[in-house]
Amino acid sequence: MAHEIPAQEDVILDGFLALDTPLGFRAELIEGEIVVTPPPLGDHEHIIAELVDQIAAGAETPMHFSGNKGLRVDSAGALPSNHVIPDGTFAPRALSLFRGAESWMPCTGVALVVEVTSQRAEIDREAKRRSYARSGIPLYLLVDRERGKVTLFSELEGDDYTLLQTGPFGKEIELPVPFSMTLDTSNYV
C-alpha cells in the first residue's frame, strides 16, 4: 500500500495550526514563515488606543474594532494561505463581522487593517502589505515607529496598493469612505 506524501505547504500549515505559543505571544504564518511575536510594549499600544479613539469618535460609518482577530489572507505562489493577526482590524458595525467568526476568519468585509511596527518592521512594510492587497482589504494603515511616519495604502491593483498617502508623525492623514475623516497623528511620538 502506497502512502501519500503530504505537500510541503500542508505540512507547514498543519505545524503552524498545532503551535502552542506562550501566554501573550502570538504566532502568524507569513509567506511560509512562522513568526512568533511577544506582547507589545506600551508605546505600541498607546498608538493603537489613539487610533481606536479617533475612529470611534469620527468615522462616518460606525466601526467595530478587533486587536486580536486572526485573518486568513492570500499568500504568494503555492504557499499556504497567510494567517495574520493585525494590530488592528476595523469592519463596519452593520456587518457584525466578528460575531460567530472562527479563530482564523476570511477578510471579506474588513475595511481597514492597521500595523504598528515593532521588532520585524520589514514584514509589516512588505509581506503583510502585499497579502492585504491580494486579499482585497481596501485600506492598510502602517504606523512605522522606526521611520517616524504613517502611510495609508489604498487603491488595490493586483498584489499591491497603488495610492500612498504618507507623512511624518504629526501630519494629518485623510481616511476615505467608509471612514471619511481626518486622522491626527501628532500624539504618536
Side-chain angles (χ1 to χ4, degrees), residues 100-177:
E102 43 193 78
S103 295
W104 297 101
M105 70 178 221
C107 55
T108 304
V110 169
L112 168 74
V113 288
V114 176
E115 296 289 356
V116 178
T117 60
S118 41
Q119 296 174 345
R120 297 188 63 189
E122 276 310 308
I123 291 173
D124 295 332
R125 292 181 192 128
E126 298 296 330
K128 283 189 171 184
R129 185 192 80 232
R130 289 188 305 271
S131 290
Y132 295 146
R134 275 192 297 266
S135 299
I137 297 174
L139 300 171
Y140 172 40
L141 185 70
L142 176 64
V143 180
D144 195 325
R145 296 186 307 157
E146 288 177 6
R147 296 179 176 169
K149 68 179 187 178
V150 179
T151 303
L152 178 68
F153 297 91
S154 60
E155 302 297 323
L156 298 164
E157 187 174 303
D159 66 351
D160 213 345
Y161 296 92
T162 60
L163 185 61
L164 285 71
Q165 183 186 158
T166 191
F169 289 173
K171 181 181 184 226
E172 293 181 337
I173 297 288
E174 295 299 321
L175 295 181
V177 171

Side-chain angles (χ1 to χ4, degrees), residues 27-64:
E28 300 174 286
L29 179 59
I30 304 169
E31 299 302 321
E33 179 183 357
I34 296 173
V35 179
V36 179
T37 310
L41 297 173
D43 289 345
H44 180 280
E45 292 303 280
H46 171 80
I47 292 170
I48 296 296
E50 286 291 320
L51 274 165
V52 171
D53 287 351
Q54 285 186 56
I55 289 173
E60 178 180 83
T61 301
M63 292 284 161
H64 275 166

